[in-house]
Coordinates of all heavy atoms in Angstrom, one line a residue:
Chain A
I505 N 163.3 15.9 191.5 CA 164.8 16.1 191.3 C 165.1 16.5 189.9 O 165.8 17.5 189.7 CB 165.5 14.8 191.7 CG1 165.4 14.6 193.3 CG2 167.0 14.9 191.3 CD1 166.0 13.3 193.7
L506 N 164.6 15.8 188.9 CA 164.9 16.1 187.6 C 164.4 17.5 187.2 O 165.1 18.3 186.5 CB 164.3 15.1 186.6 CG 164.9 13.6 186.7 CD1 164.1 12.7 185.8 CD2 166.3 13.7 186.3
M507 N 163.2 17.8 187.7 CA 162.7 19.2 187.4 C 163.5 20.2 188.1 O 163.7 21.3 187.5 CB 161.2 19.3 187.8 CG 160.2 18.5 186.9 SD 160.4 18.8 185.1 CE 160.0 20.5 185.0
A508 N 164.0 19.9 189.3 CA 164.8 20.9 190.0 C 166.1 21.2 189.2 O 166.5 22.3 189.0 CB 165.1 20.4 191.4
L509 N 166.7 20.1 188.7 CA 167.9 20.2 187.9 C 167.6 21.1 186.7 O 168.4 22.0 186.3 CB 168.4 18.8 187.4 CG 169.3 18.1 188.4 CD1 169.6 16.7 187.9 CD2 170.6 18.8 188.6
F510 N 166.5 20.8 186.0 CA 166.1 21.5 184.8 C 165.9 23.0 185.1 O 166.5 23.9 184.5 CB 164.8 20.9 184.2 CG 164.3 21.7 183.1 CD1 164.8 21.6 181.8 CD2 163.2 22.5 183.3 CE1 164.3 22.4 180.8 CE2 162.7 23.3 182.2 CZ 163.3 23.2 181.0
F511 N 165.1 23.3 186.2 CA 164.8 24.7 186.5 C 166.1 25.4 186.9 O 166.4 26.5 186.4 CB 163.8 24.8 187.6 CG 162.4 24.6 187.2 CD1 161.6 23.6 187.9 CD2 161.9 25.3 186.2 CE1 160.3 23.4 187.5 CE2 160.5 25.1 185.8 CZ 159.8 24.2 186.4
K512 N 166.9 24.7 187.7 CA 168.1 25.4 188.3 C 169.2 25.5 187.2 O 169.9 26.5 187.2 CB 168.5 24.6 189.5 CG 169.2 25.5 190.6 CD 168.4 26.7 190.9 CE 169.3 27.8 191.3 NZ 170.0 27.7 192.6
K513 N 169.4 24.6 186.4 CA 170.5 24.6 185.5 C 170.2 25.3 184.2 O 171.0 25.8 183.5 CB 171.1 23.2 185.2 CG 171.4 22.4 186.4 CD 172.9 22.6 186.8 CE 173.0 22.6 188.3 NZ 173.8 21.7 188.9
V514 N 168.9 25.2 183.8 CA 168.5 25.8 182.5 C 167.9 27.1 182.6 O 168.2 28.1 181.9 CB 167.6 24.8 181.7 CG1 167.2 25.3 180.4 CG2 168.3 23.4 181.6
I515 N 167.0 27.2 183.6 CA 166.2 28.5 183.6 C 166.8 29.5 184.6 O 167.1 30.6 184.2 CB 164.7 28.2 183.9 CG1 164.2 27.3 182.8 CG2 163.9 29.5 184.0 CD1 162.7 26.9 182.9
F516 N 166.9 29.2 185.9 CA 167.5 30.1 186.8 C 168.9 29.7 187.0 O 169.2 28.8 187.7 CB 166.8 30.1 188.2 CG 165.3 30.0 188.1 CD1 164.7 28.9 188.6 CD2 164.6 31.0 187.6 CE1 163.3 28.8 188.6 CE2 163.2 30.9 187.6 CZ 162.6 29.8 188.1
K517 N 169.8 30.5 186.5 CA 171.2 30.1 186.7 C 171.8 31.0 187.8 O 172.8 31.7 187.6 CB 172.0 30.3 185.4 CG 171.6 29.3 184.4 CD 172.3 29.5 183.0 CE 171.7 28.7 182.0 NZ 171.9 29.2 180.6
G518 N 171.2 31.0 189.0 CA 171.7 31.8 190.1 C 172.6 31.0 191.0 O 172.7 29.8 191.0
E519 N 173.2 31.8 191.9 CA 174.0 31.1 193.0 C 173.1 30.7 194.1 O 172.1 31.3 194.4 CB 175.0 32.2 193.5 CG 176.4 31.6 193.7 CD 177.4 32.7 194.1 OE1 177.8 33.5 193.3 OE2 177.6 32.7 195.3
T520 N 173.4 29.5 194.7 CA 172.7 29.0 195.8 C 173.0 29.8 197.0 O 174.2 30.2 197.3 CB 172.9 27.6 196.0 OG1 172.5 26.9 194.8 CG2 172.1 27.0 197.1
A521 N 172.0 30.1 197.8 CA 172.2 30.9 199.0 C 173.0 30.2 200.1 O 173.0 28.9 200.0 CB 170.9 31.3 199.6
P522 N 173.8 30.8 200.9 CA 174.5 30.1 202.0 C 173.6 29.3 202.9 O 172.4 29.6 203.0 CB 175.2 31.2 202.8 CG 174.7 32.5 202.2 CD 173.9 32.3 201.0
F523 N 174.1 28.2 203.4 CA 173.4 27.4 204.3 C 173.7 27.7 205.7 O 174.8 27.4 206.2 CB 173.8 25.9 203.9 CG 173.1 24.9 204.7 CD1 171.8 24.5 204.4 CD2 173.7 24.2 205.8 CE1 171.2 23.5 205.1 CE2 173.1 23.2 206.5 CZ 171.8 22.8 206.1
I524 N 172.9 28.4 206.3 CA 173.1 28.8 207.7 C 172.0 28.3 208.6 O 170.9 28.8 208.5 CB 173.2 30.4 207.9 CG1 174.3 30.9 206.9 CG2 173.4 30.8 209.3 CD1 174.2 32.4 206.7
L525 N 172.3 27.2 209.3 CA 171.2 26.5 209.9 C 171.6 26.2 211.4 O 172.6 25.6 211.6 CB 170.8 25.3 209.1 CG 169.7 24.4 209.6 CD1 168.4 25.2 209.3 CD2 169.6 23.1 208.9
E526 N 170.7 26.5 212.3 CA 171.0 26.1 213.7 C 170.5 24.7 213.8 O 169.4 24.3 213.4 CB 170.2 27.0 214.6 CG 170.4 26.6 216.1 CD 169.5 27.3 217.1 OE1 168.7 28.2 216.6 OE2 169.7 27.1 218.3
L527 N 171.4 23.9 214.4 CA 171.0 22.5 214.8 C 170.6 22.6 216.3 O 171.4 22.3 217.1 CB 172.1 21.5 214.5 CG 172.6 21.4 213.1 CD1 173.8 20.5 212.9 CD2 171.4 20.9 212.2
G528 N 169.4 23.0 216.5 CA 168.9 23.2 217.9 C 168.7 21.9 218.6 O 168.9 20.8 218.0
D529 N 168.5 22.0 219.9 CA 168.3 20.7 220.7 C 167.1 19.9 220.2 O 166.1 20.4 219.7 CB 168.1 21.1 222.1 CG 169.3 21.6 222.8 OD1 170.4 21.2 222.3 OD2 169.2 22.4 223.7

Side-chain angles (χ1 to χ4, degrees):
Chain A
I505 289 173
L506 293 176
M507 287 311 294
L509 275 174
F510 173 76
F511 283 125
K512 210 50 212 291
K513 304 272 144 121
V514 181
I515 298 180
F516 318 114
K517 292 172 189 156
E519 224 175 280
T520 298
F523 183 77
I524 302 167
L525 184 71
E526 179 186 1
L527 298 175
D529 286 333

